[in-house]
Amino acid sequence: MYKEREKLFYGGPVLTMDEACMRPEAVLVRGERIAAVGPLEALRRAAPGAEPVDLEGRALLPGFIDAHSHLVQFANNLQYASLTGADSLDEIARRLREFVRKNNIAPGTPVIGTGYDHNDLPGRAHPTRQFLDAALPGYPVVLGHASGHMGCVSSLVLGQMGVTRQTADPQGGRIGRDEAGEPNGYLEELAFSEMVAKAMPAGQKGARELLRRGQQAYLSHGITTAQDGFMKQAEAQLLAEAACAGELALDVVGYCDMKENAGLPGRLPEFRQRYSGRFKIGGYKIFLDGSPQGRTAWVTTPYLGGEAGYVGYPIYTDAQVREFVGAAQAEGMQLLCHCNGDAAAAQFLAAHTVPSTQRNVMIHAQLLRPDQLPAVKAAGIIPSYFVAHTWYWGDTHIRNFGLERARNISPAADTVRLGIPYTFHMDSPVLPPDCMDILYCAVNRRTKGGVSLAAGQQISALEALRGLTVYGAYQYHEEGEKGSLAPGKTADLVLLSADPTAVEAEELRSVRVEATYKAGEKVYGA
């Protein structure tokens, strides 16, 4: 009989991510904590009743930490029509009709599709209301772009929104129009995210079951701490209810929409900056610009092609951003700020008249320039890079910005050289929360078209792992609890088919997550 809740891991490479003991022979877990790391025989003597867990040559690492995603939205999207990878309007129409048929959706009921990318469609054009009206007559249809920053809707939805040719573009958004000036169904930034939500509020039907399925997807990728990076009332309430019911299988850190929902932390004080039932409110989130692949990110040097001199656009004025930063600082709350373009990054940096004491985070930082990094370090800001852009939209960035600028997207190597803590993410549901994919993209920096973006910004697998472990914990102010396998820390573990630091760079995507442990308990096993 093994001693209750003692496990001894051995028999394969152990990568603790702790410089004090990086590659021990074994790890002893007692209850929810790591009790010891070190030589196998010494740990066997220290815990003779421990359950042996033979790694059989597989690798043991700290559980991965998701630095930015939208867990509830990812879970909700499981109920919608997936348009990921659709490369023609005919394919989009086919998937929508099949979704309606399989789910027996009656006319007049909203139909939502997610994940289309106009960059994959002929002419790189977004679907129009006329296309959606013809594809599903009698249905209100909403399609969300893969970036989450834009989409298109059918005529019925435009009518529900009250959008006509006289409707003005909202601040920080744009309503697409045809040559006659009529709305064509395309909506950008706040015109999509806010106007559609008000016309078609999301329901909560089956939300707890969807959340359970969403968590399992994260756990299958070795993630033991996840984020909900833009909570409104519905998301916060769902997570709070799941926490109170003991339904969270991993830790979830939520960030409240600061513009419309700044009062949420006060209404849920038991979760404010502390875990209760594995949920905590970590701070606030704001957006300063849009998407580089959607040409809405705010940059200083104009986009190539299209309108001469076009640089995207900001969402807020400088004064508004200073107010957001100051308010978060005054409350002692961390602020996550979506900045894709270098102009948006400059606006965020300028708002920090004093260094951040709460480790504010620059989310995505795609076009953050290397010469801006010293200011990032001085401001105490953590850049969280969406480094998978190198593969998924690298070719689009070359078209939009030219090869030299594209080579510096997610400038990870310069960040490492300056000693700035950094993290990586997939912005799920934009992309699946696949940490092996992150490693592949960070190390190889190659586009789908085969163009290398590695010159100057390529990092090693070990450096990339730091962005998924020790620096992830640091971003959440949890470095004393997570991010490495060290005595006293929470026993969040991931078992991989191979050591990512020992395989060829091209083989990183073939490394599989075989098991995930949360606080010492196995919560996923392939």
Side-chain angles (χ1 to χ4, degrees), residues 187-220:
L187 300 169
E188 195 171 273
E189 300 301 339
L190 295 187
F192 181 70
S193 60
E194 293 191 358
M195 294 173 71
V196 174
K198 289 176 181 176
M200 300 175 63
Q204 289 293 93
K205 184 179 179 181
R208 298 267 280 274
E209 171 59 18
L210 288 169
L211 181 60
R212 184 196 66 78
R213 290 170 55 194
Q215 290 180 77
Q216 283 303 307
Y218 277 65
L219 291 168
S220 74

Coordinates of all heavy atoms in Angstrom, one line a residue, residues 187-220:
L187 N -18.0 44.4 -40.4 CA -17.9 45.2 -39.2 C -16.5 45.0 -38.6 O -16.0 43.9 -38.5 CB -19.0 44.9 -38.2 CG -20.4 45.0 -38.6 CD1 -21.4 44.3 -37.6 CD2 -20.8 46.5 -38.8
E188 N -15.9 46.1 -38.1 CA -14.5 46.1 -37.7 C -14.4 46.7 -36.3 O -15.0 47.7 -35.9 CB -13.7 47.0 -38.7 CG -12.2 46.9 -38.6 CD -11.6 47.6 -39.8 OE1 -11.5 47.0 -40.9 OE2 -11.3 48.8 -39.6
E189 N -13.6 46.0 -35.5 CA -13.3 46.4 -34.1 C -14.5 46.7 -33.3 O -15.4 45.8 -33.2 CB -12.3 47.6 -34.1 CG -11.0 47.3 -34.8 CD -10.2 46.2 -34.2 OE1 -10.4 45.9 -33.0 OE2 -9.3 45.6 -34.9
L190 N -14.7 47.9 -32.7 CA -15.9 48.1 -31.8 C -17.2 48.0 -32.5 O -18.2 47.7 -31.9 CB -15.7 49.4 -31.1 CG -14.5 49.5 -30.1 CD1 -14.6 50.8 -29.3 CD2 -14.5 48.3 -29.2
A191 N -17.2 48.2 -33.8 CA -18.5 48.1 -34.6 C -18.9 46.6 -34.5 O -20.1 46.3 -34.6 CB -18.3 48.6 -36.0
F192 N -17.9 45.7 -34.5 CA -18.3 44.3 -34.4 C -18.5 43.8 -32.9 O -19.5 43.3 -32.6 CB -17.2 43.4 -35.1 CG -17.5 42.0 -35.1 CD1 -18.5 41.5 -35.9 CD2 -16.7 41.1 -34.3 CE1 -18.8 40.1 -35.9 CE2 -17.0 39.7 -34.3 CZ -18.0 39.2 -35.1
S193 N -17.5 44.1 -32.1 CA -17.5 43.5 -30.8 C -18.6 44.1 -29.9 O -19.2 43.3 -29.1 CB -16.1 43.7 -30.1 OG -15.8 45.1 -30.0
E194 N -18.9 45.4 -30.0 CA -19.9 45.9 -29.1 C -21.3 46.0 -29.7 O -22.3 45.7 -29.1 CB -19.4 47.3 -28.7 CG -18.2 47.3 -27.8 CD -17.9 48.6 -27.1 OE1 -18.6 49.6 -27.4 OE2 -16.9 48.7 -26.4
M195 N -21.4 46.4 -31.0 CA -22.7 46.6 -31.6 C -23.4 45.3 -31.8 O -24.6 45.1 -31.6 CB -22.5 47.3 -32.9 CG -22.0 48.8 -32.8 SD -21.7 49.6 -34.3 CE -23.3 49.9 -35.0
V196 N -22.7 44.2 -32.2 CA -23.3 42.9 -32.4 C -23.7 42.4 -31.0 O -24.8 41.8 -30.9 CB -22.3 41.9 -33.1 CG1 -22.9 40.5 -33.1 CG2 -22.1 42.4 -34.5
A197 N -22.9 42.5 -30.0 CA -23.2 42.0 -28.7 C -24.5 42.6 -28.1 O -25.3 42.0 -27.5 CB -22.1 42.2 -27.7
K198 N -24.7 43.9 -28.4 CA -25.9 44.6 -27.9 C -27.1 44.1 -28.6 O -28.2 44.0 -28.1 CB -25.7 46.1 -28.0 CG -24.7 46.7 -27.0 CD -24.5 48.1 -27.3 CE -23.5 48.7 -26.3 NZ -23.2 50.1 -26.5
A199 N -27.0 43.8 -29.9 CA -28.1 43.3 -30.7 C -28.4 41.9 -30.5 O -29.6 41.4 -30.5 CB -27.9 43.6 -32.2
M200 N -27.4 41.1 -30.2 CA -27.6 39.6 -30.0 C -26.8 39.2 -28.8 O -25.7 38.6 -28.9 CB -27.1 38.9 -31.3 CG -27.8 39.2 -32.5 SD -27.1 38.4 -34.0 CE -27.4 36.7 -33.6
P201 N -27.3 39.5 -27.6 CA -26.6 39.1 -26.4 C -26.4 37.6 -26.3 O -27.3 36.8 -26.7 CB -27.4 39.6 -25.3 CG -28.8 39.8 -25.9 CD -28.6 40.1 -27.3
A202 N -25.2 37.2 -25.9 CA -24.9 35.8 -25.8 C -25.7 35.1 -24.6 O -25.9 35.7 -23.6 CB -23.4 35.6 -25.5
G203 N -26.2 33.9 -24.9 CA -27.0 33.2 -23.9 C -26.0 32.4 -23.0 O -24.9 32.2 -23.3
Q204 N -26.6 31.9 -21.9 CA -25.8 31.0 -21.0 C -26.2 29.6 -21.0 O -25.9 28.8 -20.2 CB -26.0 31.6 -19.6 CG -25.3 32.9 -19.3 CD -23.8 32.8 -19.3 OE1 -23.2 33.0 -20.4 NE2 -23.2 32.5 -18.2
K205 N -27.0 29.2 -22.0 CA -27.5 27.8 -22.1 C -26.3 26.9 -22.2 O -25.5 26.9 -23.1 CB -28.4 27.7 -23.3 CG -29.1 26.3 -23.4 CD -30.0 26.2 -24.6 CE -30.6 24.8 -24.7 NZ -31.5 24.7 -25.9
G206 N -26.3 25.9 -21.3 CA -25.2 24.9 -21.3 C -23.8 25.4 -21.1 O -22.9 24.7 -21.4
A207 N -23.7 26.6 -20.5 CA -22.4 27.3 -20.4 C -21.5 26.5 -19.4 O -20.3 26.4 -19.7 CB -22.6 28.7 -19.8
R208 N -22.0 25.9 -18.4 CA -21.2 25.2 -17.4 C -20.6 23.9 -18.1 O -19.4 23.6 -17.9 CB -22.0 24.8 -16.2 CG -22.5 26.0 -15.4 CD -21.5 26.4 -14.3 NE -21.7 25.6 -13.1 CZ -22.6 25.8 -12.1 NH1 -23.4 26.8 -12.2 NH2 -22.6 25.0 -11.1
E209 N -21.4 23.2 -18.9 CA -20.9 22.0 -19.6 C -19.9 22.4 -20.6 O -18.8 21.7 -20.8 CB -22.0 21.2 -20.2 CG -21.6 20.1 -21.2 CD -20.8 19.0 -20.5 OE1 -20.7 19.0 -19.2 OE2 -20.1 18.3 -21.2
L210 N -20.1 23.5 -21.3 CA -19.1 24.0 -22.3 C -17.8 24.4 -21.6 O -16.7 24.1 -22.1 CB -19.7 25.2 -23.1 CG -20.8 24.9 -24.1 CD1 -21.5 26.2 -24.6 CD2 -20.3 24.1 -25.3
L211 N -17.9 25.0 -20.4 CA -16.8 25.4 -19.7 C -16.0 24.1 -19.3 O -14.7 24.1 -19.3 CB -17.1 26.2 -18.5 CG -16.0 26.7 -17.6 CD1 -15.0 27.6 -18.4 CD2 -16.5 27.4 -16.4
R212 N -16.7 23.1 -18.9 CA -16.0 21.8 -18.5 C -15.2 21.3 -19.8 O -14.0 20.9 -19.6 CB -17.0 20.8 -18.1 CG -16.4 19.5 -17.6 CD -17.4 18.4 -17.5 NE -17.9 18.0 -18.8 CZ -17.2 17.2 -19.7 NH1 -16.0 16.8 -19.4 NH2 -17.7 16.9 -20.9
R213 N -15.9 21.3 -20.9 CA -15.2 20.8 -22.1 C -14.0 21.7 -22.5 O -13.0 21.2 -22.9 CB -16.2 20.7 -23.3 CG -17.2 19.6 -23.1 CD -18.3 19.8 -24.2 NE -17.8 19.8 -25.5 CZ -18.5 20.2 -26.6 NH1 -19.8 20.6 -26.4 NH2 -18.0 20.2 -27.8
G214 N -14.2 23.0 -22.3 CA -13.1 23.9 -22.7 C -11.9 23.7 -21.8 O -10.7 23.7 -22.2
Q215 N -12.1 23.5 -20.5 CA -11.0 23.2 -19.6 C -10.3 21.9 -20.0 O -9.0 21.9 -19.9 CB -11.5 23.0 -18.1 CG -12.1 24.3 -17.5 CD -12.6 24.0 -16.1 OE1 -11.8 23.8 -15.2 NE2 -13.9 23.9 -15.9
Q216 N -11.0 20.9 -20.4 CA -10.3 19.7 -20.8 C -9.4 19.9 -22.0 O -8.4 19.3 -22.1 CB -11.4 18.6 -21.1 CG -12.0 18.0 -19.8 CD -10.9 17.4 -18.9 OE1 -10.1 16.5 -19.3 NE2 -10.9 17.8 -17.6
A217 N -9.8 20.8 -22.9 CA -9.0 21.1 -24.0 C -7.7 21.7 -23.6 O -6.6 21.4 -24.0 CB -9.7 22.0 -25.0
Y218 N -7.8 22.6 -22.6 CA -6.6 23.3 -22.1 C -5.7 22.3 -21.4 O -4.4 22.2 -21.6 CB -6.9 24.4 -21.1 CG -7.3 25.7 -21.8 CD1 -8.4 25.9 -22.6 CD2 -6.5 26.9 -21.6 CE1 -8.7 27.1 -23.2 CE2 -6.8 28.1 -22.1 CZ -7.9 28.2 -23.0 OH -8.2 29.4 -23.6
L219 N -6.3 21.4 -20.6 CA -5.5 20.4 -19.8 C -4.8 19.4 -20.8 O -3.7 19.0 -20.5 CB -6.4 19.6 -18.9 CG -6.9 20.5 -17.7 CD1 -8.0 19.7 -17.0 CD2 -5.8 20.8 -16.7
S220 N -5.5 19.2 -21.9 CA -4.9 18.2 -22.9 C -3.6 18.8 -23.5 O -2.8 18.1 -24.1 CB -5.9 17.9 -24.0 OG -6.1 18.9 -24.9

